Amino acid sequence: MPEYKAPIRDTKFVMQELLNCEDHYQRLGYEDASIEMVDAIINEAAKLNEQIIAPINQVGDQQGCTFDNGKVTTPDGFKEAYQHYVEGGWPTLSQSLEFGGQGLPHSLSTAIGEYTSAANHSFAMYPGLSHGCMATLEAHGTEQLKQMFLPKLVEGTWTGTMCLTEAHCGTDLGMLRTKAELNADGTYRLTGSKIFISAGEHDLSDNIIHVVIARIPGSPEGTRGISLFIVPKFNVNADGTVSDQNGVTCGSIEHKMGINGSATCVINFDNATGHLIGDVNRGLNCMFTFMNAARLGVANEGVAHADAAFQGSLAYAKDRLQMRSMSGPKNPDGPADPIIVHPDVRRMLLTQKSISEGGRALIGYLAQLVDVVHASKDEAEVAKAEANLALLTPIGKAFLTELGLECAGHGVQIFGGHGYVKEWGMEQLMRDAKISCLYEGTTGIQALDLLGRKILGSKGELLKGFATEIGTFCHMNGQNPELTSYCITLGKYSEELAKHTQQLGAKAMQNPDEIGAASVDYLMYAGYVTLAYFWAKMAKTAAETLAKGTAEEDFYQAKIKTAKFYFERILPRAEGHAACMINGADSMMALDSEDFIF
Amino acid sequence: MPEYKAPIRDTKFVMQELLNCEDHYQRLGYEDASIEMVDAIINEAAKLNEQIIAPINQVGDQQGCTFDNGKVTTPDGFKEAYQHYVEGGWPTLSQSLEFGGQGLPHSLSTAIGEYTSAANHSFAMYPGLSHGCMATLEAHGTEQLKQMFLPKLVEGTWTGTMCLTEAHCGTDLGMLRTKAELNADGTYRLTGSKIFISAGEHDLSDNIIHVVIARIPGSPEGTRGISLFIVPKFNVNADGTVSDQNGVTCGSIEHKMGINGSATCVINFDNATGHLIGDVNRGLNCMFTFMNAARLGVANEGVAHADAAFQGSLAYAKDRLQMRSMSGPKNPDGPADPIIVHPDVRRMLLTQKSISEGGRALIGYLAQLVDVVHASKDEAEVAKAEANLALLTPIGKAFLTELGLECAGHGVQIFGGHGYVKEWGMEQLMRDAKISCLYEGTTGIQALDLLGRKILGSKGELLKGFATEIGTFCHMNGQNPELTSYCITLGKYSEELAKHTQQLGAKAMQNPDEIGAASVDYLMYAGYVTLAYFWAKMAKTAAETLAKGTAEEDFYQAKIKTAKFYFERILPRAEGHAACMINGADSMMALDSEDFIF
């Protein structure tokens, strides 16, 4: 199992140098978030994740969670690590001061969230789901409900879940059957069964607060008849103390490909007492608030998987001696050269490196937009941030998780046969990484959201905003000899993207299936272009620092060299996606569903 | 767990209609291999794999093999199924009459091999490894050794292995340490430890015959000092009866990502008696005979994974109701449409379909070349077959296994969250499929073999031969209106491949690292073009049959529609690979190995 080292230096490069978080935080009124404070928190988070959370990653996979008569036991060490996590105040980091939080920016907890996902994806699920529950409750709950539930959730002594999926509906939540009937006291009684509930039942916290979507009898069919409820495992008194067990039980846990330390539960509600949050029948709209944040969190997992695979692969590639370099021995005194000398091994390592570092920059940028949405008083700025978030969240979610999985796969390949054996940790990364392409909306669903709802739905306006940002960057930096070629290339791809978008829009008017036929290729194309923009920006920052003079010349040169690799060896993949996408829907829709197999 | 149905109709299309196996077999003297016999054997093999071997696939994954004090126990049902397999005479199918085989063509056992790998990859490993052992023994063993070992191996009551890898050397076999010292009686005593030995120890057979590479003291260093030995678990008398236990023990088994029913063993040789086969120090050359066959077998696994994933996904996609078609409801009386109406689901299904059927055609073609090498008396024909096999084996091995893994991944995506849960079988396919990208030479090693050794090593001659075959096809069929567009496209890609090859050859003269820098993109490009050739050929066969009139119009129309999908939505991916590859090695080699992480 490779040792995890939090990429502190790179996090600081992204937050402080690329995205100037100091100004950003001060401007938004996050006065406590000084550079010194950010540094101190990141350093402490690194220690926590390296020393406490990473060491239980492998045992978590091996043991998994166990289910016995409604109770779920997490793997050895999870309970102690979670206690440590709570005692360190980590759940409170970016929560509101009003409910006991530290009121620090979301972008800071996002940076740390990457470390936890990389150190131990399964462990990260527990605080991650709480985060979703808290965000939903804070945005839509009544003051009374917030006072009842939030302090303990913020503290971390209670955890939360999001209960959406039922056996017959995942993507298509309009079909849900769980019903919520009004009680005389204004509460509701919920009955139904939810599946795939992460952290639905476990032994880490004193209470579990479920956010549940359900249908109030008599509501409209489909998505316009869904309401949102808070349903605690143990009922809670008005003063926030725990009372009796609610009608909530765990029916079983799933046996999965990966994230075995994360309990994936069937949760049964049997006349369970629930509290409405948000307006009746507006539950799905309330959920959308949460979904963007959750999708950004999953996008961050893609970065985490790429980085964890990169770290393991790099250590192995420097250590493992096998064959000689084709351009002459590089380790003439040894029996063979370390495999990092071989170009194809470097191709895989640099793919991992350019995706994890490029993805970290994209996530950092998106997390700052989340800060803006939360804290800015400038309506125009908030609207622009929301527009970019709407556009880039599905790209980040699907593109970074698909690439995260690819990078984990490269990790297995770099280790060769050893990568397939459990003890080295690479295959676990690959198994864990696959879930990120599925939950919170599969890659296909993200792609439909991007192309159908966001891009064509806005008549191209959302894309135009971001394309303008890229265009401005290219215009401003095109004369800088360090950046000229990147600006030309990036400008060309960005214009191609606009052209493809127009063509797709026109085709979709004739045949709406053209959207779904193009969507995943379109999203991947957009993803490669988006990351190219961030690599160009990073190259600019690095070149400026080098020009000013720095003691860390190698670090900044590596950034510039990695940007070059990304532009030359990763970005051109987009051409394959474009070439497939322009051929349209016809060949995909021609076959009758009965004629797929004979 | 999806039910496995052997794709009999498609196998017959490939063998009989596309590749005219009747003429092929008669011409090579396989007189028993009439169409009736081939049909009967395929139908029986389908039953065996559907009814006996597929049903123990999931339990095999769940239980895995167990190791206790040197003994390995296979999962429940494996022993009985293997006994059934032996009693049915399946191991004997394509083995020599001389040693008790049926003398049927290799291409017939290859077709059946796909079924077994699809039904149960782990189970298929046991006869698969025996096959490699027998092929090596028959090609290089003395008459006495053949008589001692082959009859029982052919019968299947003994099984075989290939013992190559050691802990410190996998790809780089020149570093191996296992030593073989000459005994007075002409046998050798072997001492050393081998890892990753599939079927190295198990409870299915009465004896296990290891083919082992080792170094005779005083031999040259590196690959020119490797010799090949037969080392049985139990020593064998000259009359073929079993005598005492040899110095061969199983030290442990690996815990792996997948193929859990296949025992992956550490095998320790402690003064074990071995019999030299082939010439002293020529062991690696002897192994190459076997390696092409083994790689073709692994390529076939790629087809098997794609097909198994396709079958499971298709059944689910027709059954699972979720959302409405964007072009209007297709199941208006139901609560939602089956997900097969959605273009992106079709994209994944058709990818699986076009890869499994296209791959089946490629494998069928290669297997016929193997028949030619084995049975043709025409030296020129053999030389041409060997040339095409040398070229297309690494393409088949790496391209089809990478695509097989991709298709298994699509299976998980089509099932959504359910795909990640063990009970549905999709995630097992993905875990099993990954090994095929690793063993018998990773994708990277295949790519180096293709571009470095085969293509540039032959100064382009090997490619020229196959390109001429494609060119002839395009020339002959370009005027056929059903095929014109395919011939134009295929011709264009084939010419591009030749152009890229020339450019790479020139660059590699300046810098040998250009080979490794381009190799995987080059192989993938070549793979997409190769499969396009087989899709064009299949479209031709289907169009001709339709023109003649047939009762199976839907089957042949589906072929033509799938060819169109492949050409429009899969082949253009090659453009992304080309765009990456032409940018060369510079950006991959620029970074010092100490500067990858700071």
Side-chain angles (χ1 to χ4, degrees), chain B residues 233-265:
Chain B
K233 174 180 168 185
F234 295 108
N235 285 310
V236 174
N237 299 315
D239 64 355
T241 54
V242 164
S243 69
D244 56 335
Q245 162 94 43
N246 199 356
V248 180
T249 50
C250 176
S252 61
I253 59 173
E254 305 293 345
H255 298 96
K256 309 185 297 294
M257 184 181 199
I259 57 163
N260 292 328
S262 168
T264 306
C265 304

mmCIF file of all heavy atoms in Angstrom, chain B residues 233-265:
data_model
loop_
_atom_site.group_PDB
_atom_site.id
_atom_site.type_symbol
_atom_site.label_atom_id
_atom_site.label_comp_id
_atom_site.label_asym_id
_atom_site.label_seq_id
_atom_site.Cartn_x
_atom_site.Cartn_y
_atom_site.Cartn_z
ATOM 1 N N LYS B 233 4.791 -31.712 -10.880
ATOM 2 C CA LYS B 233 4.526 -31.695 -9.425
ATOM 3 C C LYS B 233 4.856 -33.068 -8.839
ATOM 4 O O LYS B 233 5.584 -33.169 -7.854
ATOM 5 C CB LYS B 233 3.050 -31.356 -9.203
ATOM 6 C CG LYS B 233 2.548 -31.438 -7.785
ATOM 7 C CD LYS B 233 1.041 -31.070 -7.741
ATOM 8 C CE LYS B 233 0.385 -31.401 -6.421
ATOM 9 N NZ LYS B 233 -1.074 -31.144 -6.456
ATOM 10 N N PHE B 234 4.326 -34.101 -9.469
ATOM 11 C CA PHE B 234 4.709 -35.470 -9.114
ATOM 12 C C PHE B 234 5.589 -36.008 -10.235
ATOM 13 O O PHE B 234 5.235 -35.869 -11.418
ATOM 14 C CB PHE B 234 3.481 -36.376 -8.962
ATOM 15 C CG PHE B 234 2.600 -35.988 -7.823
ATOM 16 C CD1 PHE B 234 1.362 -35.398 -8.059
ATOM 17 C CD2 PHE B 234 3.002 -36.198 -6.502
ATOM 18 C CE1 PHE B 234 0.536 -35.027 -7.002
ATOM 19 C CE2 PHE B 234 2.183 -35.828 -5.443
ATOM 20 C CZ PHE B 234 0.946 -35.236 -5.694
ATOM 21 N N ASN B 235 6.712 -36.601 -9.870
ATOM 22 C CA ASN B 235 7.576 -37.174 -10.904
ATOM 23 C C ASN B 235 6.832 -38.257 -11.681
ATOM 24 O O ASN B 235 5.867 -38.843 -11.187
ATOM 25 C CB ASN B 235 8.846 -37.760 -10.273
ATOM 26 C CG ASN B 235 9.804 -36.655 -9.867
ATOM 27 O OD1 ASN B 235 10.118 -35.758 -10.666
ATOM 28 N ND2 ASN B 235 10.253 -36.683 -8.606
ATOM 29 N N VAL B 236 7.276 -38.454 -12.895
ATOM 30 C CA VAL B 236 6.578 -39.356 -13.809
ATOM 31 C C VAL B 236 7.559 -40.415 -14.295
ATOM 32 O O VAL B 236 8.708 -40.093 -14.651
ATOM 33 C CB VAL B 236 6.001 -38.561 -15.000
ATOM 34 C CG1 VAL B 236 5.398 -39.492 -16.041
ATOM 35 C CG2 VAL B 236 4.962 -37.551 -14.515
ATOM 36 N N ASN B 237 7.135 -41.651 -14.254
ATOM 37 C CA ASN B 237 7.973 -42.732 -14.772
ATOM 38 C C ASN B 237 7.973 -42.709 -16.295
ATOM 39 O O ASN B 237 7.111 -42.070 -16.912
ATOM 40 C CB ASN B 237 7.448 -44.073 -14.266
ATOM 41 C CG ASN B 237 7.483 -44.143 -12.752
ATOM 42 O OD1 ASN B 237 8.482 -43.766 -12.123
ATOM 43 N ND2 ASN B 237 6.385 -44.574 -12.155
ATOM 44 N N ALA B 238 8.924 -43.427 -16.870
ATOM 45 C CA ALA B 238 9.042 -43.426 -18.340
ATOM 46 C C ALA B 238 7.751 -43.912 -19.005
ATOM 47 O O ALA B 238 7.416 -43.506 -20.122
ATOM 48 C CB ALA B 238 10.214 -44.300 -18.765
ATOM 49 N N ASP B 239 6.983 -44.758 -18.301
ATOM 50 C CA ASP B 239 5.740 -45.264 -18.895
ATOM 51 C C ASP B 239 4.557 -44.314 -18.667
ATOM 52 O O ASP B 239 3.420 -44.641 -18.997
ATOM 53 C CB ASP B 239 5.408 -46.641 -18.321
ATOM 54 C CG ASP B 239 5.114 -46.593 -16.826
ATOM 55 O OD1 ASP B 239 5.260 -45.497 -16.221
ATOM 56 O OD2 ASP B 239 4.742 -47.631 -16.256
ATOM 57 N N GLY B 240 4.858 -43.171 -18.067
ATOM 58 C CA GLY B 240 3.797 -42.192 -17.906
ATOM 59 C C GLY B 240 3.023 -42.320 -16.604
ATOM 60 O O GLY B 240 2.112 -41.523 -16.356
ATOM 61 N N THR B 241 3.377 -43.256 -15.767
ATOM 62 C CA THR B 241 2.683 -43.356 -14.478
ATOM 63 C C THR B 241 3.343 -42.405 -13.477
ATOM 64 O O THR B 241 4.509 -42.029 -13.618
ATOM 65 C CB THR B 241 2.742 -44.798 -13.917
ATOM 66 O OG1 THR B 241 4.119 -45.202 -13.864
ATOM 67 C CG2 THR B 241 1.970 -45.754 -14.809
ATOM 68 N N VAL B 242 2.568 -42.028 -12.458
ATOM 69 C CA VAL B 242 3.035 -41.061 -11.465
ATOM 70 C C VAL B 242 3.880 -41.761 -10.416
ATOM 71 O O VAL B 242 3.538 -42.855 -9.971
ATOM 72 C CB VAL B 242 1.812 -40.370 -10.827
ATOM 73 C CG1 VAL B 242 2.191 -39.658 -9.552
ATOM 74 C CG2 VAL B 242 1.181 -39.417 -11.828
ATOM 75 N N SER B 243 5.024 -41.142 -10.051
ATOM 76 C CA SER B 243 5.791 -41.709 -8.934
ATOM 77 C C SER B 243 5.756 -40.743 -7.758
ATOM 78 O O SER B 243 4.674 -40.331 -7.351
ATOM 79 C CB SER B 243 7.206 -42.085 -9.381
ATOM 80 O OG SER B 243 7.972 -40.941 -9.670
ATOM 81 N N ASP B 244 6.913 -40.364 -7.228
ATOM 82 C CA ASP B 244 6.935 -39.594 -5.978
ATOM 83 C C ASP B 244 6.747 -38.090 -6.202
ATOM 84 O O ASP B 244 6.846 -37.583 -7.302
ATOM 85 C CB ASP B 244 8.265 -39.828 -5.268
ATOM 86 C CG ASP B 244 9.441 -39.485 -6.181
ATOM 87 O OD1 ASP B 244 9.272 -39.540 -7.427
ATOM 88 O OD2 ASP B 244 10.509 -39.126 -5.673
ATOM 89 N N GLN B 245 6.500 -37.383 -5.098
ATOM 90 C CA GLN B 245 6.360 -35.911 -5.115
ATOM 91 C C GLN B 245 7.712 -35.306 -5.483
ATOM 92 O O GLN B 245 8.748 -35.699 -4.973
ATOM 93 C CB GLN B 245 5.925 -35.456 -3.719
ATOM 94 C CG GLN B 245 6.132 -33.979 -3.403
ATOM 95 C CD GLN B 245 4.885 -33.145 -3.684
ATOM 96 O OE1 GLN B 245 3.777 -33.550 -3.350
ATOM 97 N NE2 GLN B 245 5.079 -31.986 -4.313
ATOM 98 N N ASN B 246 7.685 -34.347 -6.389
ATOM 99 C CA ASN B 246 8.889 -33.622 -6.787
ATOM 100 C C ASN B 246 9.114 -32.451 -5.815
ATOM 101 O O ASN B 246 8.238 -32.145 -4.998
ATOM 102 C CB ASN B 246 8.697 -33.134 -8.236
ATOM 103 C CG ASN B 246 10.002 -32.789 -8.933
ATOM 104 O OD1 ASN B 246 11.088 -32.831 -8.343
ATOM 105 N ND2 ASN B 246 9.905 -32.444 -10.207
ATOM 106 N N GLY B 247 10.236 -31.780 -5.932
ATOM 107 C CA GLY B 247 10.525 -30.645 -5.051
ATOM 108 C C GLY B 247 9.830 -29.372 -5.470
ATOM 109 O O GLY B 247 10.472 -28.339 -5.685
ATOM 110 N N VAL B 248 8.544 -29.452 -5.612
ATOM 111 C CA VAL B 248 7.736 -28.323 -6.084
ATOM 112 C C VAL B 248 6.654 -28.063 -5.051
ATOM 113 O O VAL B 248 5.877 -28.954 -4.739
ATOM 114 C CB VAL B 248 7.045 -28.661 -7.431
ATOM 115 C CG1 VAL B 248 6.210 -27.477 -7.919
ATOM 116 C CG2 VAL B 248 8.066 -29.062 -8.486
ATOM 117 N N THR B 249 6.616 -26.838 -4.508
ATOM 118 C CA THR B 249 5.571 -26.527 -3.538
ATOM 119 C C THR B 249 4.944 -25.170 -3.845
ATOM 120 O O THR B 249 5.589 -24.298 -4.418
ATOM 121 C CB THR B 249 6.141 -26.465 -2.097
ATOM 122 O OG1 THR B 249 7.297 -25.616 -2.100
ATOM 123 C CG2 THR B 249 6.513 -27.838 -1.577
ATOM 124 N N CYS B 250 3.709 -25.058 -3.438
ATOM 125 C CA CYS B 250 3.015 -23.770 -3.583
ATOM 126 C C CYS B 250 3.188 -23.003 -2.279
ATOM 127 O O CYS B 250 2.802 -23.480 -1.204
ATOM 128 C CB CYS B 250 1.532 -24.009 -3.889
ATOM 129 S SG CYS B 250 0.576 -22.490 -3.967
ATOM 130 N N GLY B 251 3.789 -21.813 -2.361
ATOM 131 C CA GLY B 251 4.085 -21.025 -1.163
ATOM 132 C C GLY B 251 2.908 -20.186 -0.689
ATOM 133 O O GLY B 251 2.741 -19.955 0.515
ATOM 134 N N SER B 252 2.097 -19.737 -1.617
ATOM 135 C CA SER B 252 0.936 -18.910 -1.269
ATOM 136 C C SER B 252 0.153 -18.636 -2.545
ATOM 137 O O SER B 252 0.626 -18.941 -3.642
ATOM 138 C CB SER B 252 1.362 -17.583 -0.636
ATOM 139 O OG SER B 252 2.142 -16.831 -1.537
ATOM 140 N N ILE B 253 -1.017 -18.067 -2.384
ATOM 141 C CA ILE B 253 -1.752 -17.568 -3.560
ATOM 142 C C ILE B 253 -2.003 -16.073 -3.388
ATOM 143 O O ILE B 253 -2.009 -15.554 -2.272
ATOM 144 C CB ILE B 253 -3.079 -18.327 -3.815
ATOM 145 C CG1 ILE B 253 -4.021 -18.215 -2.616
ATOM 146 C CG2 ILE B 253 -2.804 -19.784 -4.150
ATOM 147 C CD1 ILE B 253 -5.402 -18.802 -2.873
ATOM 148 N N GLU B 254 -2.178 -15.376 -4.510
ATOM 149 C CA GLU B 254 -2.398 -13.932 -4.480
ATOM 150 C C GLU B 254 -3.866 -13.620 -4.224
ATOM 151 O O GLU B 254 -4.756 -14.349 -4.672
ATOM 152 C CB GLU B 254 -2.003 -13.300 -5.827
ATOM 153 C CG GLU B 254 -0.597 -13.581 -6.292
ATOM 154 C CD GLU B 254 0.487 -12.964 -5.433
ATOM 155 O OE1 GLU B 254 0.186 -12.077 -4.614
ATOM 156 O OE2 GLU B 254 1.662 -13.401 -5.571
ATOM 157 N N HIS B 255 -4.086 -12.490 -3.562
ATOM 158 C CA HIS B 255 -5.436 -11.945 -3.446
ATOM 159 C C HIS B 255 -5.537 -10.804 -4.441
ATOM 160 O O HIS B 255 -4.807 -9.835 -4.360
ATOM 161 C CB HIS B 255 -5.698 -11.505 -2.009
ATOM 162 C CG HIS B 255 -5.615 -12.671 -1.070
ATOM 163 N ND1 HIS B 255 -4.462 -12.981 -0.368
ATOM 164 C CD2 HIS B 255 -6.512 -13.652 -0.811
ATOM 165 C CE1 HIS B 255 -4.677 -14.093 0.324
ATOM 166 N NE2 HIS B 255 -5.901 -14.529 0.075
ATOM 167 N N LYS B 256 -6.466 -10.966 -5.379
ATOM 168 C CA LYS B 256 -6.427 -10.136 -6.573
ATOM 169 C C LYS B 256 -7.703 -9.307 -6.755
ATOM 170 O O LYS B 256 -8.707 -9.502 -6.090
ATOM 171 C CB LYS B 256 -6.257 -11.046 -7.807
ATOM 172 C CG LYS B 256 -5.117 -12.049 -7.700
ATOM 173 C CD LYS B 256 -4.904 -12.851 -8.979
ATOM 174 C CE LYS B 256 -6.078 -13.735 -9.390
ATOM 175 N NZ LYS B 256 -6.359 -14.844 -8.455
ATOM 176 N N MET B 257 -7.627 -8.439 -7.729
ATOM 177 C CA MET B 257 -8.773 -7.622 -8.115
ATOM 178 C C MET B 257 -9.914 -8.489 -8.652
ATOM 179 O O MET B 257 -11.088 -8.212 -8.403
ATOM 180 C CB MET B 257 -8.321 -6.654 -9.208
ATOM 181 C CG MET B 257 -9.377 -5.672 -9.651
ATOM 182 S SD MET B 257 -8.721 -4.600 -10.964
ATOM 183 C CE MET B 257 -9.881 -3.238 -10.874
ATOM 184 N N GLY B 258 -9.555 -9.491 -9.420
ATOM 185 C CA GLY B 258 -10.562 -10.354 -10.043
ATOM 186 C C GLY B 258 -9.997 -11.728 -10.338
ATOM 187 O O GLY B 258 -9.002 -12.130 -9.751
ATOM 188 N N ILE B 259 -10.640 -12.423 -11.280
ATOM 189 C CA ILE B 259 -10.385 -13.837 -11.573
ATOM 190 C C ILE B 259 -10.026 -14.592 -10.282
ATOM 191 O O ILE B 259 -9.019 -15.291 -10.200
ATOM 192 C CB ILE B 259 -9.361 -14.070 -12.718
ATOM 193 C CG1 ILE B 259 -8.001 -13.415 -12.482
ATOM 194 C CG2 ILE B 259 -9.924 -13.678 -14.059
ATOM 195 C CD1 ILE B 259 -6.887 -14.000 -13.412
ATOM 196 N N ASN B 260 -10.933 -14.429 -9.305
ATOM 197 C CA ASN B 260 -10.673 -15.014 -7.988
ATOM 198 C C ASN B 260 -10.748 -16.527 -7.989
ATOM 199 O O ASN B 260 -10.177 -17.173 -7.116
ATOM 200 C CB ASN B 260 -11.670 -14.464 -6.970
ATOM 201 C CG ASN B 260 -11.432 -12.995 -6.708
ATOM 202 O OD1 ASN B 260 -10.291 -12.530 -6.770
ATOM 203 N ND2 ASN B 260 -12.488 -12.253 -6.452
ATOM 204 N N GLY B 261 -11.446 -17.094 -8.944
ATOM 205 C CA GLY B 261 -11.534 -18.547 -9.018
ATOM 206 C C GLY B 261 -10.298 -19.176 -9.645
ATOM 207 O O GLY B 261 -10.152 -20.399 -9.651
ATOM 208 N N SER B 262 -9.438 -18.345 -10.190
ATOM 209 C CA SER B 262 -8.196 -18.835 -10.779
ATOM 210 C C SER B 262 -7.083 -18.714 -9.739
ATOM 211 O O SER B 262 -6.843 -17.633 -9.213
ATOM 212 C CB SER B 262 -7.853 -18.007 -12.020
ATOM 213 O OG SER B 262 -6.538 -18.275 -12.452
ATOM 214 N N ALA B 263 -6.411 -19.815 -9.464
ATOM 215 C CA ALA B 263 -5.354 -19.807 -8.449
ATOM 216 C C ALA B 263 -4.088 -19.185 -9.045
ATOM 217 O O ALA B 263 -3.545 -19.703 -10.017
ATOM 218 C CB ALA B 263 -5.074 -21.228 -7.995
ATOM 219 N N THR B 264 -3.658 -18.071 -8.469
ATOM 220 C CA THR B 264 -2.426 -17.400 -8.891
ATOM 221 C C THR B 264 -1.388 -17.665 -7.811
ATOM 222 O O THR B 264 -1.487 -17.135 -6.710
ATOM 223 C CB THR B 264 -2.682 -15.891 -9.044
ATOM 224 O OG1 THR B 264 -3.795 -15.695 -9.911
ATOM 225 C CG2 THR B 264 -1.462 -15.191 -9.625
ATOM 226 N N CYS B 265 -0.397 -18.488 -8.151
ATOM 227 C CA CYS B 265 0.425 -19.106 -7.103
ATOM 228 C C CYS B 265 1.876 -18.627 -7.097
ATOM 229 O O CYS B 265 2.444 -18.307 -8.139
ATOM 230 C CB CYS B 265 0.444 -20.622 -7.307
ATOM 231 S SG CYS B 265 -1.203 -21.335 -7.355
#
